[in-house]
Amino acid sequence: MTSPVRYTIQAIQPAAHLFEVTLSLSDPDPAGQVFSLPAWIPGSYMIREFAKNIVSLSARAGGKALAVTKSDKHTWHLPAGVVGPVTLSYTVYAWDLSVRTAHLDQTHGFFNGTSVFLCAHGHEAAPQWVDIRPPKGLEDAGWRVATSLPEAVGERGAAERYGFGLYCAEDYAALIDHPVEMGSFTLAEFDACGVPHAVAITGRHDCDPIRLVEDLKPVCEAQIRLFGEPAPMDRYVFLVMAVGDGYGGLEHRASTALLCSRGDLPWAGMETPSEAYRQFLGLCSHEYFHTWNVKRIKPAAFVPYDLTCENYTRLLWAFEGFTSYYDDLMLVRTGRIAEKDYLTLLGKTVSQVHKGSGRKKQSVAESSFEAWTKYYRQDENSPNAIVSYYTKGALVALLLDLRLRAGSKGSRSLDDLMRALWLRHGQTGVGVGEDGIFALTAEIGGVEMGEWLRELVEGTDDLPLQAWLGRVGIALNWEAASEAPGFGVRTVAEGDLLKLANVYDGGSAQAAGLSAGDVLVALDGLKVSAGNFDKLLARRVAGDRVQVHAFRRDELMCFDVELLAAPKDTAKLTLAEDASAPAVALREGWLKG
């Protein structure tokens, strides 16, 4: 039997945000054992250099210190000829409050394995055991542990559910795919299609866990049934960090790490879901759908992951975009939101895509491939240069779903394509080729449909939304976001100052020479502030010329701006009053599943 790789992890200085980790290996490589830390985390397509947070590292064998050399930014080597067991000890700085890395203070600890567990090369397939120990100095604080990492049942020191102690993973890939939350969290549990689920909420909040469970359970069950029982995991955990202002999620094979604002959570007595709560439910639905779509149904480029460098694929429009389509669709199918609310959410997605001129310059296939350098490294010009494979990918999924339904009179849909992907790829471990979804679409809907999908994905023309929404009795109309003339910018407040964050192509500001980073000072001699800019514009009409003073760095500049009419780039979706009976039937089949 292969000897396990053994880890311990402990919060040794919560106030200093330091975890201490040890890695023990009984049979190191006699040619010189190599260890490394991943450079990125699956689901977040950006090189993040997690090794930069390792503060100190040392190694010992036989009671003696060993020399450790570093060959690159994230790889360490032991000398040749070392006889085991060997132990590495290192400290990790954890102060990134996000779902991607690690965070530690006196209130809680959180980590992804990619941030804290060095990989012992040559031992990736061996069992990996982790002893999660109580925090030093906070032993009486009542902390618990929430993770989908299995307890090491039958082993000495095995953890009890939600307790400190020994956990296990079948290999290194599994070890780093089960994030861990420790602290005094609120816990709620439920079953979905016979599978235990848990929600652990950290941070100050007034969440009504009963209401949250009532809403999550049917969404989880609907997704399990879409792909077919049994579910691919034995247990699932939602790890939720509630903060004053935050939003994000990251998928894992049997859990998700979520960051939300306190106001996003449901409160006792809430009757109808607030807009913020609908958004949070959509986030939960999105990350849960990834349990199938990207965690098990994967691009061939991710089989296996190479965590030392970028892994390029042109398919994120399907893995993130299709997931973004299904997240809110599952809410309306399960009755968590009303049809009108779903149309509002869908309209926002349409608007987000349409507002950026980048959609005319970059396809969603290109956006997927360039995620590492463009989508995840956005700057002030990004709206003019790129398109989101999340939002436009979701609209591609919508169009494909509607065309499949219309072409088969409701007998086939995108659901069938997802189930086929699950059977052929998710359950076999075979990655999806770069042309695989086009081929499968042609198989299900015909050759012409496969070619049509490729055109949508690889082209930059506006999507034919109006025509296909009309086939299910939904009217799409375009409106201006405001009656005031447009300025063509996105602003951010810095105290009482107003700074231009983005200057959009074709807008008044760009034509006049204003640039991102400029700080507005005055409009026609009146001081501009974060609170009055929109009010000043509301008193003007399209065609007016205004004088704008702004600081660019430390230089005061003056611009003559001709105000243009606000663009009609806000989508409004409504049920068509004259929809035919077949259109209504298709719509009901689509929205009810």
Side-chain angles (χ1 to χ4, degrees):
M1 178 179 177
T2 305
S3 299
V5 182
R6 299 173 182 268
Y7 299 83
T8 69
I9 184 166
Q10 184 176 33
I12 57 166
Q13 289 182 261
H17 323 301
L18 293 177
F19 283 109
E20 181 177 67
V21 184
T22 67
L23 187 166
S24 297
L25 196 60
S26 63
D27 49 348
D29 185 346
Q33 181 62 51
V34 179
F35 302 90
S36 66
L37 198 66
W40 63 284
I41 183 169
S44 183
Y45 305 106
M46 177 177 170
I47 299 297
R48 297 190 181 274
E49 318 291 18
F50 298 128
K52 67 185 178 183
N53 291 316
I54 293 184
V55 178
S56 61
L57 183 147
S58 61
R60 300 184 70 84
K64 296 181 180 181
L66 297 174
V68 183
T69 58
K70 200 171 182 183
S71 60
D72 61 32
K73 58 192 174 184
H74 51 224
T75 307
W76 290 259
H77 298 255
L78 297 186
V82 173
V83 177
V86 63
T87 299
L88 258 62
S89 299
Y90 54 97
T91 54
V92 180
Y93 181 68
W95 193 235
D96 178 18
L97 187 58
S98 78
V99 298
R100 298 177 298 268
T101 51
H103 188 264
L104 173 66
D105 62 14
Q106 303 93 318
T107 67
H108 90 122
F110 169 81
F111 61 82
N112 284 288
T114 44
S115 290
V116 297
F117 295 133
L118 285 168
C119 173
H121 290 210
H123 300 264
E124 295 91 341
Q128 317 275 313
W129 292 1
V130 183
D131 186 0
I132 304 176
R133 298 182 176 176
K136 284 189 176 180
L138 295 172
E139 290 86 355
D140 297 326
W143 281 23
R144 297 185 289 175
V145 174
T147 180
S148 56
L149 195 64
E151 300 87 6
V153 177
E155 300 293 336
R156 188 173 65 180
E160 296 183 358
R161 183 64 49 87
Y162 306 116
F164 291 93
L166 192 62
Y167 291 80
C168 63
E170 63 266 28
D171 53 28
Y172 183 77
L175 174 68
I176 60 174
D177 209 8
H178 295 278
V180 174
E181 172 68 31
M182 58 181 77
S184 302
F185 46 78
T186 301
L187 182 67
E189 296 178 306
F190 63 96
D191 279 0
C193 295
V195 177
H197 287 59
V199 183
I201 308 174
T202 302
R204 298 180 182 179
H205 64 86
D206 62 353
C207 177
D208 177 3
I210 296 175
R211 172 61 184 272
L212 182 56
V213 164
E214 287 177 349
D215 289 329
L216 281 180
K217 178 181 173 70
V219 173
C220 295
E221 291 183 334
Q223 294 192 21
I224 292 171
R225 289 168 181 151
L226 185 150
F227 287 99
E229 297 184 58
M233 63 290 190
D234 297 326
R235 178 171 171 262
Y236 192 90
V237 183
F238 294 90
L239 301 174
V240 183
M241 180 69 191
V243 296
D245 184 21
Y247 181 82
L250 190 64
E251 67 275 5
H252 297 276
R253 64 180 62 189
S255 64
T256 178
L258 304 168
L259 187 71
C260 72
S261 300
R262 296 181 185 91
D264 295 347
L265 298 170
W267 59 87
M270 173 187 281
E271 295 182 1
T272 57
S274 65
E275 182 177 349
Y277 180 44
R278 289 198 300 267
Q279 182 182 27
F280 178 71
L281 283 178
L283 177 64
C284 293
S285 178
H286 181 100
E287 303 304 340
Y288 195 76
F289 198 85
H290 273 316
T291 306
W292 294 266
N293 195 36
V294 93
K295 294 311 300 182
R296 291 169 174 84
I297 308 168
K298 297 180 181 180
F302 292 174
V303 183
Y305 294 114
D306 181 351
L307 297 179
T308 67
C309 61
E310 297 89 343
N311 294 193
Y312 292 102
T313 176
R314 296 169 68 86
L315 291 177
L316 294 182
W317 56 270
F319 289 94
E320 289 293 352
F322 282 21
T323 302
S324 296
Y325 169 64
Y326 273 104
D327 54 22
D328 288 336
L329 184 61
M330 286 297 174
L331 301 186
V332 70
R333 283 184 176 179
T334 55
R336 301 306 98 191
I337 61 175
E339 285 187 10
K340 64 179 181 61
D341 294 325
Y342 176 68
L343 294 183
T344 298
L345 292 170
L346 185 56
K348 287 183 178 180
T349 302
V350 175
S351 300
Q352 287 170 2
V353 172
H354 200 76
K355 286 178 186 294
S357 63
R359 75 188 193 282
K360 295 286 191 179
K361 303 163 189 172
Q362 185 189 55
S363 69
V364 283
E366 293 168 334
S367 177
S368 300
F369 192 83
E370 296 174 329
W372 302 88
T373 55
K374 290 189 175 182
Y375 186 81
Y376 271 90
R377 295 183 182 272
Q378 294 192 31
D379 59 24
E380 66 283 347
N381 192 52
S382 291
N384 300 326
I386 69 172
V387 68
S388 167
Y389 52 77
Y390 283 87
T391 52
K392 188 175 180 181
L395 298 183
V396 168
L398 166 69
L399 289 173
L400 180 56
D401 197 3
L402 296 184
R403 182 164 177 174
L404 283 168
R405 290 174 184 275
S408 64
K409 296 183 180 179
S411 65
R412 291 189 301 276
S413 71
L414 189 60
D415 296 356
D416 296 295
L417 187 145
M418 297 309 301
R419 283 189 284 267
L421 286 169
W422 173 238
L423 290 171
R424 299 184 188 186
H425 299 279
Q427 294 190 20
T428 64
V430 176
V432 180
E434 294 295 291
D435 289 331
I437 295 178
F438 303 133
L440 188 54
T441 298
E443 183 180 324
I444 293 174
V447 173
E448 183 182 348
M449 195 171 300
E451 294 174 349
W452 175 77
L453 176 62
R454 186 186 293 273
E455 291 174 2
L456 298 184
V457 167
E458 297 182 350
T460 57
D461 290 342
D462 280 336
L463 299 173
L465 292 165
Q466 200 154 18
W468 286 101
L469 285 168
R471 297 287 292 271
V472 291
I474 294 175
L476 166 60
N477 293 293
W478 293 100
E479 301 176 346
S482 170
E483 294 182 1
F487 204 71
V489 298
R490 183 178 71 86
T491 60
V492 292
E494 294 187 349
D496 196 41
L497 300 177
L498 198 63
K499 185 176 182 178
L500 301 186
N502 305 107
V503 176
Y504 299 127
D505 283 348
S508 302
Q510 188 186 69
L514 283 152
S515 298
D518 292 349
V519 177
L520 301 184
V521 175
L523 189 152
D524 280 346
L526 295 177
K527 179 182 178 181
V528 169
S529 69
N532 74 352
F533 183 58
D534 289 340
K535 295 176 182 177
L536 291 174
L537 285 181
R539 302 176 76 89
R540 303 323 199 261
V541 296
D544 284 355
R545 303 191 76 88
V546 296
Q547 188 179 69
V548 174
H549 284 84
F551 274 110
R552 180 169 298 171
R553 299 179 296 278
D554 59 347
E555 299 178 16
L556 184 64
M557 303 179 71
C558 184
F559 303 88
D560 182 35
V561 181
E562 180 182 358
L563 298 177
L564 304 177
K568 292 185 177 181
D569 56 6
T570 300
K572 184 176 182 181
L573 303 182
T574 56
L575 298 180
E577 296 180 358
D578 57 350
S580 66
V584 172
L586 281 176
R587 184 176 70 228
E588 290 180 349
W590 165 48
L591 295 181
K592 293 180 180 178

